[in-house]
Amino acid sequence: MSLGTFLAAPDQGSIASVTLWAVTVAALVLLLVIDILLTRRPHEVHMREALAWSAFYLVLPLGFGAYLWGAFGTGVAVEFFTGYVVEKSLSVDNLFVFMLLLTAFAVPNELTQRVLLYGIVGALVLRVIFIALGAAALQSGTWAFLLFGAVLIVTAVKVLKEALKGEDQHVDISSMRSVRLLRRFVPVTPDYRGFRLMVREHGRLAITPLALATVAVFATDIVFAVDSVPAVYGVTEDPFLVFATNAFALLGLRALYFVLRDALAKLRHLNHGLSVILAFIGVKLVLHWAHGIWTWVPEIPTLASLGVIVGVLVTVTLTSLYANRRGEDAERPKVLQHDQVDP
């Protein structure tokens, strides 16, 4: 797929001109540079700082959506907001895996920001590649909708099976091929060396645990890109909107991690909800494919999709809070009984 095709003009099925693409990408690069400058000195992020940046990265997509509403109409804005909600919900699961990886690699708190930033940059690069491939597939025929729908439905079944097992999610570092490959060919230092990914020891190069953690995060980004890009194509066929929803959802992840760090583990029904969302969008894509062949097959409106997705997220949040409260109530009598036992 050529660059000119990907940066499609409005008459080629996209709302974005080359100018709009250029401005959006330039703003994205500027925000990433600001993030790099902010994290150049290792420090532990406090809640006040995390909340301020989370609010900033929430205002950005709201403002961008308002611009789309005024410039291109209600339909485009609803597609953007729906895609953004989908991507944000999937990125929360992404954050949970990041949290597990950071714990498994024992990343110091003051270095967490930089690892997350590396992960976000890697995720953005992978999203651009997958978005371009998805746009090329859609241009080649409607079969791509069927393929994307099947991928999402299969993924939804897999996520639901794992969620129903009721086991705590964990990350096995030793089973990750990328990490094993690095350790086989390159020596690893026994401790972290600040932000340095590579150092020279005893006359030869060695990588630090920070490099291993970064590679592991990047490897998980590939898995999430396979799921998230088809999910947004289930909301809109415009590559620019797909890119914008991914970019805005990923930009705020670093700050959101520190806000939700303690709450992530309590969202015990999050994967149940994500499986429903993925399956719903998968069915939506299949119906869209079928409607192109048999016009009597109904399609699911984007506004209805937004309502379903938000409803699912609110439901799993409430059920998670209820389940946590029941668990605390069940544990309390045991604690009291233990305290009353004579020594």
Side-chain angles (χ1 to χ4, degrees):
M1 183 180 188
S2 66
L3 182 62
T5 304
F6 185 57
L7 304 180
D11 60 351
Q12 294 173 299
S14 174
I15 64 167
S17 62
V18 175
T19 302
L20 183 56
W21 268 107
V23 171
T24 304
V25 173
L28 173 63
V29 171
L30 177 61
L31 289 170
L32 290 175
V33 170
I34 293 174
D35 262 353
I36 292 172
L37 293 176
L38 289 173
T39 60
R40 71 187 186 278
R41 293 181 180 177
H43 71 283
E44 187 172 353
V45 178
H46 298 291
M47 182 60 70
R48 184 176 180 180
E49 177 184 350
L51 286 173
W53 280 108
S54 294
F56 172 74
Y57 281 118
L58 180 61
V59 170
L60 279 182
L62 290 177
F64 187 76
Y67 160 73
L68 293 177
W69 198 306
F72 303 102
T74 304
V76 171
V78 170
E79 287 183 4
F80 169 76
F81 283 124
T82 305
Y84 174 75
V85 172
V86 170
E87 278 302 304
K88 205 63 178 177
S89 60
L90 293 175
S91 67
V92 171
D93 194 42
N94 200 341
L95 272 185
F96 186 69
V97 175
F98 284 174
M99 181 179 69
L100 296 175
L101 286 171
L102 293 170
T103 302
F105 281 103
V107 178
N109 290 335
E110 61 271 17
L111 300 181
T112 299
Q113 284 197 93
R114 183 51 61 94
V115 177
L116 291 172
L117 182 59
Y118 289 152
I120 291 169
V121 172
L124 282 169
V125 172
L126 289 169
R127 295 300 199 279
V128 170
I129 296 173
F130 277 84
I131 289 169
L133 292 174
L138 291 177
Q139 286 186 350
S140 66
T142 57
W143 60 269
F145 290 111
L146 184 60
L147 175 63
F148 289 170
V151 168
L152 293 179
I153 292 172
V154 170
T155 303
V157 172
K158 179 182 177 182
V159 171
L160 183 59
K161 284 183 177 180
E162 293 177 352
L164 292 176
K165 289 180 181 178
E167 300 175 354
D168 292 336
Q169 192 173 358
H170 66 280
V171 174
D172 185 7
I173 299 300
S174 60
S175 67
M176 299 186 71
R177 295 179 181 178
S178 56
V179 173
R180 291 206 314 263
L181 185 65
L182 274 178
R183 282 176 170 165
R184 180 178 301 177
F185 293 102
V186 186
V188 182
T189 62
D191 55 354
Y192 285 87
R193 307 293 174 86
F195 285 153
R196 300 177 70 181
L197 300 176
M198 188 174 295
V199 297
R200 183 172 292 277
E201 284 194 341
H202 308 297
R204 64 174 183 169
L205 290 177
I207 60 175
T208 66
L210 187 66
L212 290 180
T214 302
V215 170
V217 167
F218 188 79
T220 59
D221 282 336
I222 298 175
V223 178
F224 283 105
V226 172
D227 298 337
S228 65
V229 173
V232 182
Y233 269 121
V235 176
T236 176
E237 300 176 36
D238 190 330
F240 174 75
L241 290 180
V242 176
F243 172 77
T245 55
N246 274 268
F248 280 112
L250 290 170
L251 280 175
L253 277 190
R254 181 180 61 82
L256 188 62
Y257 171 85
F258 296 99
V259 174
L260 298 180
R261 182 166 46 186
D262 296 329
L264 283 174
K266 297 181 181 180
L267 293 176
R268 59 176 67 186
H269 296 157
L270 175 62
N271 281 348
H272 297 75
L274 293 181
S275 66
V276 173
I277 291 173
L278 290 173
F280 172 78
I281 298 176
V283 171
K284 183 177 186 294
L285 281 169
V286 172
L287 289 176
H288 181 70
W289 165 79
H291 182 79
I293 301 176
W294 305 288
T295 55
W296 54 268
V297 176
E299 289 192 278
I300 301 175
T302 303
L303 192 58
S305 300
L306 178 60
V308 170
I309 293 165
V310 172
V312 170
L313 292 175
V314 171
T315 300
V316 297
T317 301
L318 294 176
T319 57
S320 295
L321 294 174
Y322 177 73
N324 291 332
R325 180 176 297 179
R326 287 193 60 183
E328 293 173 357
D329 292 341
E331 288 294 327
R332 189 173 295 113
K334 295 180 182 180
V335 174
L336 293 174
Q337 184 177 5
H338 181 269
D339 291 340
Q340 293 172 359
V341 174
D342 295 330

